[in-house]
Amino acid sequence: LQQLGILRESGHEHLSGSLVVPILDAAGQVAQMYGRKILDRLRKGTPKHLYLPGPHRAVWNLAGLAHAQEIVLCESLIDAMTLWCAGYRNVTTSYGTNGFTDAHRDAFRAHGVKRVLIAYDRDAAGDVAAKAHAKLLMADGIEVFRILFPKGMDANAYARQVTPAPQ
């Protein structure tokens, strides 16, 4: 656990109090871990979304990229999993507004992705990141569109509000 970065040298668990999801690389090995805090009663400054220390590694749901020319790019893994549960298999995540990596761009190019629908949170950070990532993707010749949730909402919050959720 220390080798992966889950157990800190202090003995504390990095992802304590979180729903934990492993992120596998192309070889099926754990390359990253995502943690989503379960409770809202957190100390001030505690992030709800956590990843292992160090650079982001691997692309979540590589299989979903393999056979799709159109990809939905979410801001968080919980949002991507929400869309997955609603039946959208062509979905991945950028690990937050600052988590879009060269590995994402490489995977999109390698799998022949033609269009990306950016489904980031509808807040200031999501809007800024969506614009920056759209510019990078368009430079790669990929068509980009922005999915706009109601202000202040993300894919997970919106899906919990809409019935049935796949809509």
Side-chain angles (χ1 to χ4, degrees), residues 4 22-25 28-33 52:
L4 284 173
I23 299 168
L24 309 178
D25 63 17
Q29 300 297 310
V30 175
Q32 179 62 274
M33 299 288 268
L52 294 178

Side-chain angles (χ1 to χ4, degrees), residues 16-19 36-43 46-48:
S16 178
S18 301
L19 163 76
R36 170 64 162 84
K37 293 293 184 185
I38 295 171
L39 302 176
D40 289 327
R41 299 182 313 261
L42 303 171
R43 280 180 298 159
T46 301
K48 282 190 171 186

Side-chain angles (χ1 to χ4, degrees), residues 47-76:
K48 282 190 171 186
H49 305 271
L50 296 169
Y51 298 92
L52 294 178
H56 294 293
R57 298 174 299 277
V59 174
W60 182 78
N61 191 24
L62 270 176
L65 305 182
H67 304 292
Q69 291 190 339
E70 179 178 272
I71 298 298
V72 180
L73 177 64
C74 293
E75 183 175 322
S76 74

